[in-house]
Amino acid sequence: MKYWIESLAVTRRILTELLRRRRSLWFWLLFPVTVLLLNGYILAERAELPLSMALKFAAPSTLIGAAFFFSCVGGTVAVIVSEREQQTLKRLFLSPLSGTSYFLGICGAQGAIAIGQTLVIYTLAVFLGASCTGSLFLAILILFLSIISYVGVGFILGTQLARRTEDVNTLVAAFGVPLLLVGGAFFPTLIFPEKLLQIAQFNPIFHMNESLVKVWADGANLAGIGLHFSLLCGFAAIAIACGWLSYRQMLLRERKL
């Protein structure tokens, strides 16, 4: 109960600060909406599909790529760097707040932003005629695994590589953009050449994207996405575990300074 209360307090504090700086929240909503519309119209034109059908394929990729990656990875890195620069972590050692609660609080804040993005993208897609034809529970599970995977990666990058605010954009661009392109976040994997598809098998974003697209647009069940889902579960477990270990190492370094 103690961890639950403390984690909620940290989550509320981070979200409150973001609400005070509404510009960031608006951009995090505007970017995926723009990508959804662009991908939808381009796919509808090139594949000669109705817009509603094109959005069924574009919406999952937009969520996995444009929305979750930049908010959960970039947002987590930005929060960690900002808290370190503001000496929040040092004040943490002087308070009864536990490091575990702080970690869970950051995860909760980024998860709340991702949920908001999901609701916006889903509402817009449904308004324009698209719908989720597969299991809603399975789609939510894939989204949850994708969120915790991205948050875990954000903790790794934020604690191990980012030192200043200027590092955030560099890290996200250097690590993220190539992975998103190969993962099918901006271009349908149907047009990928065979060699690129073979390379994409080693990209966790590819498996996130393929799992959600097959469930959302094709109505696939768990058996139909078995390999993608298994790899996604494994990556999520590794990412959050490595993110936790990286966070603990950062606390030890900050405690010595």
Side-chain angles (χ1 to χ4, degrees):
M1 194 64 182
K2 172 181 180 293
Y3 290 133
W4 173 256
I5 296 174
E6 291 179 347
S7 301
L8 286 179
V10 174
T11 298
R12 185 166 56 249
R13 182 181 66 82
I14 295 174
L15 293 177
T16 300
E17 291 182 0
L18 286 174
L19 288 173
R20 291 174 181 169
R21 294 178 285 127
R22 293 186 179 88
R23 186 177 303 173
S24 297
L25 289 177
W26 281 114
F27 285 155
W28 272 342
L29 292 177
L30 179 62
F31 178 57
V33 167
T34 304
V35 173
L36 172 65
L37 295 176
L38 288 174
N39 283 345
Y41 281 110
I42 292 174
L43 185 60
E45 179 69 22
R46 291 300 181 183
E48 298 182 351
L49 295 172
L51 180 59
S52 60
M53 181 64 67
L55 288 174
K56 287 179 65 174
F57 291 93
S61 300
T62 300
L63 274 176
I64 294 296
F68 289 175
F69 183 88
F70 289 98
S71 64
C72 293
V73 176
T76 301
V77 175
V79 168
I80 292 172
V81 173
S82 175
E83 299 282 52
R84 185 186 297 164
E85 290 182 339
Q86 296 173 9
Q87 305 297 317
T88 302
L89 292 175
K90 294 186 181 300
R91 294 196 295 270
L92 172 64
F93 300 135
L94 302 176
S95 70
L97 179 67
S98 69
T100 302
S101 298
Y102 190 74
F103 178 86
L104 294 175
I106 295 177
C107 293
Q110 302 309 317
I113 295 171
I115 291 173
Q117 291 176 319
T118 302
L119 293 176
V120 170
I121 294 300
Y122 181 78
T123 301
L124 180 60
V126 171
F127 178 77
L128 294 176
S131 61
C132 179
T133 57
S135 169
L136 184 60
F137 173 78
L138 185 56
I140 292 174
L141 182 58
I142 295 171
L143 292 174
F144 173 75
L145 292 172
S146 301
I147 291 171
I148 63 174
S149 299
Y150 281 147
V151 171
V153 172
F155 269 102
I156 297 171
L157 297 179
T159 57
Q160 300 298 318
L161 299 178
R163 293 293 180 266
R164 300 180 303 274
T165 305
E166 294 80 7
D167 297 336
V168 176
N169 292 332
T170 304
L171 282 172
V172 172
F175 285 91
V177 175
L179 290 175
L180 291 175
L181 290 173
V182 178
F186 299 115
F187 303 104
T189 57
L190 295 175
I191 66 173
F192 281 12
E194 185 62 30
K195 290 185 178 179
L196 189 57
L197 280 176
Q198 294 175 359
I199 295 174
Q201 300 299 322
F202 300 95
N203 183 1
I205 298 178
F206 171 78
H207 298 290
M208 297 179 194
N209 183 52
E210 287 297 296
S211 298
L212 192 57
V213 168
K214 289 181 181 299
V215 171
W216 189 308
D218 296 336
N221 55 19
L222 185 58
I225 59 169
L227 177 60
H228 297 303
F229 187 78
S230 298
L231 292 173
L232 175 55
C233 290
F235 178 74
I238 293 173
I240 202 67
C242 292
W244 169 253
L245 292 176
S246 299
Y247 169 74
R248 298 299 299 179
Q249 291 177 0
M250 181 191 69
L251 291 184
L252 292 176
R253 290 195 302 267
E254 292 292 325
R255 193 184 298 271
K256 294 178 181 178
L257 297 178

